[in-house]
CSV table of all heavy atoms in Angstrom, one decimal:
chain,number,residue,atom,x,y,z
P,326,VAL,N,2.6,14.2,2.7
P,326,VAL,CA,2.9,15.4,3.3
P,326,VAL,C,3.6,15.2,4.7
P,326,VAL,O,4.6,15.8,5.0
P,326,VAL,CB,1.7,16.3,3.5
P,326,VAL,CG1,2.0,17.6,4.3
P,326,VAL,CG2,1.2,16.8,2.1
P,327,PHE,N,3.0,14.3,5.5
P,327,PHE,CA,3.5,14.1,6.8
P,327,PHE,C,4.6,13.0,6.9
P,327,PHE,O,5.2,12.7,7.9
P,327,PHE,CB,2.4,13.8,7.8
P,327,PHE,CG,1.4,14.9,7.9
P,327,PHE,CD1,0.1,14.8,7.3
P,327,PHE,CD2,1.8,16.1,8.5
P,327,PHE,CE1,-0.8,15.9,7.4
P,327,PHE,CE2,0.9,17.2,8.5
P,327,PHE,CZ,-0.4,17.1,8.0
P,335,TYR,N,-0.1,10.4,15.6
P,335,TYR,CA,-0.3,11.6,14.9
P,335,TYR,C,-1.4,12.4,15.6
P,335,TYR,O,-2.4,11.9,16.0
P,335,TYR,CB,-0.8,11.2,13.5
P,335,TYR,CG,-1.4,12.3,12.7
P,335,TYR,CD1,-0.7,13.1,11.9
P,335,TYR,CD2,-2.8,12.4,12.7
P,335,TYR,CE1,-1.3,14.1,11.1
P,335,TYR,CE2,-3.4,13.4,11.9
P,335,TYR,CZ,-2.6,14.3,11.2
P,335,TYR,OH,-3.2,15.3,10.4
P,336,TRP,N,-1.2,13.7,15.6
P,336,TRP,CA,-2.2,14.6,16.3
P,336,TRP,C,-2.5,15.8,15.5
P,336,TRP,O,-1.6,16.6,15.2
P,336,TRP,CB,-1.7,15.0,17.7
P,336,TRP,CG,-2.7,15.9,18.4
P,336,TRP,CD1,-4.0,16.0,18.2
P,336,TRP,CD2,-2.4,16.7,19.5
P,336,TRP,NE1,-4.6,16.9,19.1
P,336,TRP,CE2,-3.6,17.3,19.9
P,336,TRP,CE3,-1.3,17.0,20.3
P,336,TRP,CZ2,-3.7,18.2,21.0
P,336,TRP,CZ3,-1.4,17.9,21.3
P,336,TRP,CH2,-2.6,18.5,21.7
P,377,TRP,N,1.8,20.9,24.7
P,377,TRP,CA,3.1,20.2,24.9
P,377,TRP,C,3.0,19.0,25.8
P,377,TRP,O,3.7,18.0,25.7
P,377,TRP,CB,4.2,21.3,25.2
P,377,TRP,CG,3.9,22.6,24.6
P,377,TRP,CD1,3.8,23.8,25.2
P,377,TRP,CD2,3.7,22.8,23.2
P,377,TRP,NE1,3.5,24.8,24.3
P,377,TRP,CE2,3.4,24.2,23.0
P,377,TRP,CE3,3.6,22.1,22.0
P,377,TRP,CZ2,3.2,24.8,21.8
P,377,TRP,CZ3,3.4,22.7,20.8
P,377,TRP,CH2,3.2,24.0,20.7
P,380,ILE,N,1.5,16.1,24.0
P,380,ILE,CA,2.5,15.6,23.1
P,380,ILE,C,3.4,14.6,23.8
P,380,ILE,O,3.6,13.4,23.4
P,380,ILE,CB,3.3,16.6,22.4
P,380,ILE,CG1,2.5,17.4,21.3
P,380,ILE,CG2,4.6,16.1,21.7
P,380,ILE,CD1,3.1,18.6,20.7
P,385,VAL,N,3.5,11.9,20.9
P,385,VAL,CA,3.1,12.3,19.5
P,385,VAL,C,4.3,12.5,18.6
P,385,VAL,O,5.3,13.2,19.0
P,385,VAL,CB,2.2,13.6,19.6
P,385,VAL,CG1,2.0,14.2,18.2
P,385,VAL,CG2,0.9,13.3,20.3
P,386,ASN,N,4.3,12.0,17.4
P,386,ASN,CA,5.4,12.1,16.5
P,386,ASN,C,5.1,13.2,15.4
P,386,ASN,O,6.0,13.8,14.9
P,386,ASN,CB,5.6,10.8,15.7
P,386,ASN,CG,5.8,9.6,16.7
P,386,ASN,OD1,5.0,8.8,16.8
P,386,ASN,ND2,7.0,9.6,17.4
P,387,ILE,N,3.9,13.3,15.0
P,387,ILE,CA,3.5,14.3,14.0
P,387,ILE,C,2.4,15.2,14.6
P,387,ILE,O,1.4,14.7,15.1
P,387,ILE,CB,3.0,13.6,12.7
P,387,ILE,CG1,3.9,12.5,12.2
P,387,ILE,CG2,2.6,14.6,11.6
P,387,ILE,CD1,3.4,11.6,11.1
P,388,PHE,N,2.7,16.5,14.5
P,388,PHE,CA,1.8,17.4,15.1
P,388,PHE,C,1.3,18.5,14.1
P,388,PHE,O,2.2,19.1,13.4
P,388,PHE,CB,2.5,18.1,16.3
P,388,PHE,CG,1.7,19.1,17.1
P,388,PHE,CD1,0.6,18.7,17.8
P,388,PHE,CD2,2.1,20.5,17.1
P,388,PHE,CE1,-0.2,19.7,18.5
P,388,PHE,CE2,1.4,21.4,17.8
P,388,PHE,CZ,0.2,21.0,18.5
P,389,TYR,N,0.0,18.7,14.0
P,389,TYR,CA,-0.5,19.5,12.9
P,389,TYR,C,-1.5,20.5,13.6
P,389,TYR,O,-2.5,20.1,14.2
P,389,TYR,CB,-1.3,18.6,12.0
P,389,TYR,CG,-1.7,19.2,10.7
P,389,TYR,CD1,-1.1,20.2,10.0
P,389,TYR,CD2,-2.8,18.6,10.0
P,389,TYR,CE1,-1.5,20.7,8.8
P,389,TYR,CE2,-3.3,19.1,8.8
P,389,TYR,CZ,-2.6,20.1,8.2
P,389,TYR,OH,-3.0,20.6,6.9
P,390,THR,N,-1.2,21.8,13.5
P,390,THR,CA,-2.0,22.8,14.2
P,390,THR,C,-2.1,24.1,13.3
P,390,THR,O,-1.6,24.1,12.2
P,390,THR,CB,-1.5,23.1,15.6
P,390,THR,OG1,-2.5,23.8,16.3
P,390,THR,CG2,-0.2,23.9,15.6
P,395,ILE,N,-0.4,28.8,17.4
P,395,ILE,CA,1.1,29.0,17.7
P,395,ILE,C,1.3,30.4,18.2
P,395,ILE,O,2.0,30.6,19.2
P,395,ILE,CB,1.9,28.7,16.4
P,395,ILE,CG1,1.7,27.3,15.9
P,395,ILE,CG2,3.4,29.0,16.6
P,395,ILE,CD1,2.2,27.0,14.5
P,411,LEU,N,9.3,17.1,24.4
P,411,LEU,CA,8.9,17.1,23.0
P,411,LEU,C,9.8,16.2,22.1
P,411,LEU,O,9.9,16.4,20.9
P,411,LEU,CB,8.8,18.5,22.5
P,411,LEU,CG,7.9,19.5,23.2
P,411,LEU,CD1,8.0,20.9,22.6
P,411,LEU,CD2,6.5,19.0,23.3
P,413,SER,N,9.5,13.2,21.2
P,413,SER,CA,8.9,12.3,20.3
P,413,SER,C,8.6,12.9,18.9
P,413,SER,O,8.5,12.3,17.9
P,413,SER,CB,7.6,11.8,20.8
P,413,SER,OG,6.8,12.9,21.2
P,414,LEU,N,8.6,14.3,18.9
P,414,LEU,CA,8.2,15.0,17.6
P,414,LEU,C,9.2,14.7,16.5
P,414,LEU,O,10.4,14.8,16.6
P,414,LEU,CB,8.1,16.5,17.9
P,414,LEU,CG,6.8,16.9,18.7
P,414,LEU,CD1,6.9,18.4,19.0
P,414,LEU,CD2,5.5,16.6,17.9
P,415,LYS,N,8.6,14.5,15.3
P,415,LYS,CA,9.4,14.3,14.1
P,415,LYS,C,9.0,15.3,13.0
P,415,LYS,O,9.8,15.8,12.2
P,415,LYS,CB,9.2,12.9,13.5
P,415,LYS,CG,9.6,11.8,14.4
P,415,LYS,CD,9.8,10.5,13.6
P,415,LYS,CE,8.6,10.1,12.8
P,415,LYS,NZ,8.6,8.7,12.3
P,416,VAL,N,7.7,15.6,12.9
P,416,VAL,CA,7.2,16.5,11.8
P,416,VAL,C,6.2,17.5,12.4
P,416,VAL,O,5.4,17.1,13.3
P,416,VAL,CB,6.5,15.7,10.7
P,416,VAL,CG1,5.8,16.6,9.7
P,416,VAL,CG2,7.5,14.7,10.0
P,417,LEU,N,6.2,18.7,12.0
P,417,LEU,CA,5.3,19.7,12.4
P,417,LEU,C,4.5,20.3,11.2
P,417,LEU,O,5.1,20.5,10.2
P,417,LEU,CB,6.0,20.9,13.1
P,417,LEU,CG,6.8,20.6,14.4
P,417,LEU,CD1,7.5,21.9,14.8
P,417,LEU,CD2,5.9,20.1,15.5
P,418,GLY,N,3.2,20.5,11.4
P,418,GLY,CA,2.4,21.0,10.3
P,418,GLY,C,1.7,22.3,10.7
P,418,GLY,O,1.4,22.5,11.9
P,419,SER,N,1.3,23.1,9.7
P,419,SER,CA,0.6,24.3,9.9
P,419,SER,C,-0.5,24.4,8.8
P,419,SER,O,-0.3,24.0,7.7
P,419,SER,CB,1.5,25.5,9.8
P,419,SER,OG,0.8,26.7,9.8
P,420,VAL,N,-1.7,24.9,9.2
P,420,VAL,CA,-2.8,25.0,8.2
P,420,VAL,C,-3.8,26.1,8.6
P,420,VAL,O,-3.9,26.4,9.8
P,420,VAL,CB,-3.5,23.7,8.2
P,420,VAL,CG1,-4.1,23.3,9.5
P,420,VAL,CG2,-4.6,23.7,7.1
P,424,ILE,N,1.3,31.6,7.7
P,424,ILE,CA,2.0,31.6,8.9
P,424,ILE,C,3.1,32.7,8.8
P,424,ILE,O,4.0,32.6,7.9
P,424,ILE,CB,2.5,30.2,9.4
P,424,ILE,CG1,3.4,30.3,10.6
P,424,ILE,CG2,3.3,29.5,8.3
P,424,ILE,CD1,3.6,29.0,11.4
P,428,ALA,N,6.3,33.4,13.8
P,428,ALA,CA,5.6,32.2,14.3
P,428,ALA,C,6.2,31.0,13.8
P,428,ALA,O,6.4,30.0,14.5
P,428,ALA,CB,4.1,32.3,14.0
P,429,TRP,N,6.6,31.0,12.5
P,429,TRP,CA,7.2,29.9,11.8
P,429,TRP,C,8.5,29.5,12.6
P,429,TRP,O,8.7,28.3,12.9
P,429,TRP,CB,7.5,30.2,10.4
P,429,TRP,CG,7.9,29.0,9.5
P,429,TRP,CD1,7.0,28.3,8.7
P,429,TRP,CD2,9.2,28.4,9.4
P,429,TRP,NE1,7.7,27.3,8.1
P,429,TRP,CE2,9.0,27.3,8.5
P,429,TRP,CE3,10.4,28.6,10.0
P,429,TRP,CZ2,10.1,26.5,8.1
P,429,TRP,CZ3,11.5,27.8,9.6
P,429,TRP,CH2,11.3,26.7,8.7
P,430,HIS,N,9.4,30.5,12.8
P,430,HIS,CA,10.6,30.3,13.5
P,430,HIS,C,10.4,29.8,14.9
P,430,HIS,O,11.1,28.9,15.4
P,430,HIS,CB,11.5,31.5,13.4
P,430,HIS,CG,12.1,31.7,12.1
P,430,HIS,ND1,13.0,30.9,11.5
P,430,HIS,CD2,11.8,32.7,11.1
P,430,HIS,CE1,13.3,31.3,10.2
P,430,HIS,NE2,12.6,32.4,10.0
P,431,TRP,N,9.5,30.4,15.6
P,431,TRP,CA,9.3,30.0,17.0
P,431,TRP,C,8.9,28.5,17.0
P,431,TRP,O,9.3,27.7,17.8
P,431,TRP,CB,8.1,30.9,17.6
P,431,TRP,CG,7.9,30.7,19.0
P,431,TRP,CD1,8.6,31.3,20.1
P,431,TRP,CD2,7.0,29.8,19.7
P,431,TRP,NE1,8.1,30.9,21.3
P,431,TRP,CE2,7.2,29.9,21.1
P,431,TRP,CE3,6.1,28.8,19.2
P,431,TRP,CZ2,6.4,29.2,22.0
P,431,TRP,CZ3,5.3,28.1,20.1
P,431,TRP,CH2,5.5,28.3,21.5
P,432,TYR,N,8.0,28.1,16.1
P,432,TYR,CA,7.5,26.7,16.0
P,432,TYR,C,8.7,25.8,15.7
P,432,TYR,O,8.9,24.8,16.3
P,432,TYR,CB,6.4,26.7,14.9
P,432,TYR,CG,5.5,25.6,14.8
P,432,TYR,CD1,5.0,24.9,15.9
P,432,TYR,CD2,5.0,25.2,13.5
P,432,TYR,CE1,4.1,23.8,15.7
P,432,TYR,CE2,4.1,24.2,13.4
P,432,TYR,CZ,3.6,23.5,14.5
P,432,TYR,OH,2.7,22.5,14.3
P,433,HIS,N,9.4,26.2,14.7
P,433,HIS,CA,10.6,25.4,14.3
P,433,HIS,C,11.6,25.2,15.4
P,433,HIS,O,12.1,24.1,15.6
P,433,HIS,CB,11.2,26.0,13.0
P,433,HIS,CG,12.2,25.2,12.4
P,433,HIS,ND1,13.5,25.7,12.1
P,433,HIS,CD2,12.2,24.0,11.9
P,433,HIS,CE1,14.2,24.8,11.6
P,433,HIS,NE2,13.5,23.7,11.4
P,434,ILE,N,12.0,26.3,16.0
P,434,ILE,CA,13.0,26.3,17.0
P,434,ILE,C,12.6,25.7,18.4
P,434,ILE,O,13.2,24.8,18.9
P,434,ILE,CB,13.6,27.7,17.2
P,434,ILE,CG1,14.2,28.2,15.9
P,434,ILE,CG2,14.6,27.8,18.4
P,434,ILE,CD1,14.6,29.7,15.9
P,435,HIS,N,11.5,26.3,18.9
P,435,HIS,CA,11.1,25.9,20.3
P,435,HIS,C,10.2,24.6,20.4
P,435,HIS,O,10.3,24.0,21.4
P,435,HIS,CB,10.5,27.1,21.0
P,435,HIS,CG,11.4,28.2,21.0
P,435,HIS,ND1,12.6,28.2,21.7
P,435,HIS,CD2,11.3,29.5,20.5
P,435,HIS,CE1,13.2,29.4,21.6
P,435,HIS,NE2,12.5,30.1,20.8
P,436,VAL,N,9.5,24.4,19.4
P,436,VAL,CA,8.7,23.1,19.4
P,436,VAL,C,9.4,22.0,18.7
P,436,VAL,O,9.6,20.9,19.3
P,436,VAL,CB,7.3,23.4,18.8
P,436,VAL,CG1,6.4,22.1,18.9
P,436,VAL,CG2,6.6,24.5,19.5
P,437,GLY,N,9.9,22.3,17.5
P,437,GLY,CA,10.6,21.3,16.7
P,437,GLY,C,12.0,21.1,17.0
P,437,GLY,O,12.7,20.3,16.4
P,438,LYS,N,12.6,22.0,17.9
P,438,LYS,CA,14.0,22.0,18.3
P,438,LYS,C,14.9,22.0,17.0
P,438,LYS,O,16.0,21.3,17.0
P,438,LYS,CB,14.3,20.8,19.2
P,438,LYS,CG,13.3,20.5,20.3
P,438,LYS,CD,13.3,21.5,21.4
P,438,LYS,CE,12.3,21.2,22.5
P,438,LYS,NZ,11.9,22.4,23.3
P,439,GLU,N,14.5,22.6,16.0
P,439,GLU,CA,15.2,22.7,14.7
P,439,GLU,C,15.5,21.3,14.1
P,439,GLU,O,16.3,21.2,13.2
P,439,GLU,CB,16.5,23.5,14.9
P,439,GLU,CG,16.2,24.9,15.2
P,439,GLU,CD,17.5,25.8,15.4
P,439,GLU,OE1,18.1,26.2,14.4
P,439,GLU,OE2,17.8,26.0,16.6
P,440,ARG,N,14.8,20.3,14.6
P,440,ARG,CA,15.0,19.0,14.2
P,440,ARG,C,13.9,18.5,13.3
P,440,ARG,O,14.1,17.6,12.4
P,440,ARG,CB,15.1,18.1,15.4
P,440,ARG,CG,15.1,16.6,15.3
P,440,ARG,CD,15.0,16.0,16.7
P,440,ARG,NE,13.6,15.9,17.1
P,440,ARG,CZ,13.1,16.4,18.2
P,440,ARG,NH1,13.8,17.0,19.1
P,440,ARG,NH2,11.8,16.3,18.5
P,441,CYS,N,12.7,19.1,13.4
P,441,CYS,CA,11.6,18.7,12.7
P,441,CYS,C,11.2,19.6,11.5
P,441,CYS,O,11.1,20.8,11.7
P,441,CYS,CB,10.3,18.7,13.6
P,441,CYS,SG,10.6,17.8,15.1
P,442,PRO,N,11.1,19.0,10.3
P,442,PRO,CA,10.6,19.9,9.2
P,442,PRO,C,9.2,20.4,9.6
P,442,PRO,O,8.4,19.8,10.2
P,442,PRO,CB,10.5,18.9,8.0
P,442,PRO,CG,10.8,17.5,8.5
P,442,PRO,CD,11.3,17.6,10.0
P,443,VAL,N,9.0,21.7,9.1
P,443,VAL,CA,7.6,22.3,9.3
P,443,VAL,C,7.0,22.3,7.9
P,443,VAL,O,7.5,22.8,6.9
P,443,VAL,CB,7.8,23.7,9.7
P,443,VAL,CG1,6.4,24.4,9.8
P,443,VAL,CG2,8.4,23.8,11.1
P,444,VAL,N,5.8,21.6,7.8
P,444,VAL,CA,5.1,21.7,6.5
P,444,VAL,C,3.9,22.7,6.7
P,444,VAL,O,3.1,22.6,7.5
P,444,VAL,CB,4.6,20.3,6.1
P,444,VAL,CG1,5.7,19.4,5.7
P,444,VAL,CG2,3.7,19.6,7.2
P,445,ASP,N,4.0,23.7,5.8
P,445,ASP,CA,3.0,24.8,5.8
P,445,ASP,C,2.0,24.3,4.6
P,445,ASP,O,2.3,24.5,3.5
P,445,ASP,CB,3.7,26.1,5.5
P,445,ASP,CG,2.7,27.2,5.3
P,445,ASP,OD1,1.5,27.0,5.5
P,445,ASP,OD2,3.2,28.4,5.1
P,446,THR,N,0.9,23.8,5.0
P,446,THR,CA,0.0,23.2,4.1
P,446,THR,C,-1.1,24.1,3.6
P,446,THR,O,-1.9,24.5,4.4
P,446,THR,CB,-0.6,21.9,4.7
P,446,THR,OG1,-1.5,22.3,5.8
P,446,THR,CG2,0.4,20.9,5.2
P,458,SER,N,2.3,22.2,-0.5
P,458,SER,CA,3.0,22.0,0.8
P,458,SER,C,4.3,21.3,0.5
P,458,SER,O,4.4,20.5,-0.5
P,458,SER,CB,2.1,21.1,1.7
P,458,SER,OG,2.9,20.7,2.8
P,459,ALA,N,5.2,21.5,1.4
P,459,ALA,CA,6.4,20.6,1.4
P,459,ALA,C,6.0,19.2,1.8
P,459,ALA,O,5.0,19.0,2.5
P,459,ALA,CB,7.5,21.2,2.4
P,460,LEU,N,6.7,18.2,1.3
P,460,LEU,CA,6.6,16.9,1.8
P,460,LEU,C,7.7,16.8,2.9
P,460,LEU,O,8.9,17.1,2.6
P,460,LEU,CB,6.8,15.8,0.8
P,460,LEU,CG,6.1,16.0,-0.6
P,460,LEU,CD1,6.4,14.8,-1.5
P,460,LEU,CD2,4.6,16.1,-0.3
P,461,ALA,N,7.3,16.5,4.1
P,461,ALA,CA,8.3,16.7,5.3
P,461,ALA,C,9.6,16.1,5.0
P,461,ALA,O,9.8,14.9,4.9
P,461,ALA,CB,7.6,16.1,6.5
P,462,GLY,N,10.6,17.0,5.0
P,462,GLY,CA,12.0,16.5,4.9
P,462,GLY,C,12.4,16.1,3.4
P,462,GLY,O,13.5,15.7,3.2
P,466,MET,N,11.5,23.3,2.2
P,466,MET,CA,10.6,24.2,3.1
P,466,MET,C,11.3,25.5,3.2
P,466,MET,O,12.5,25.6,3.2
P,466,MET,CB,10.4,23.5,4.4
P,466,MET,CG,11.6,23.5,5.3
P,466,MET,SD,11.1,22.9,7.0
P,466,MET,CE,12.7,23.2,7.9
Side-chain angles (χ1 to χ4, degrees):
V326 169
F327 300 107
Y335 165 87
W336 181 19
W377 325 127
I380 289 173
V385 171
N386 307 109
I387 306 173
F388 179 64
Y389 191 28
T390 195
I395 299 168
L411 305 180
S413 56
L414 287 174
K415 297 198 306 192
V416 173
L417 300 175
S419 168
V420 60
I424 177 165
W429 193 98
H430 287 293
W431 188 88
Y432 196 32
H433 186 237
I434 296 169
H435 299 297
V436 181
K438 316 290 178 200
E439 294 180 80
R440 171 187 83 234
C441 307
V443 174
V444 291
D445 176 1
T446 65
S458 168
L460 309 183
M466 68 172 191

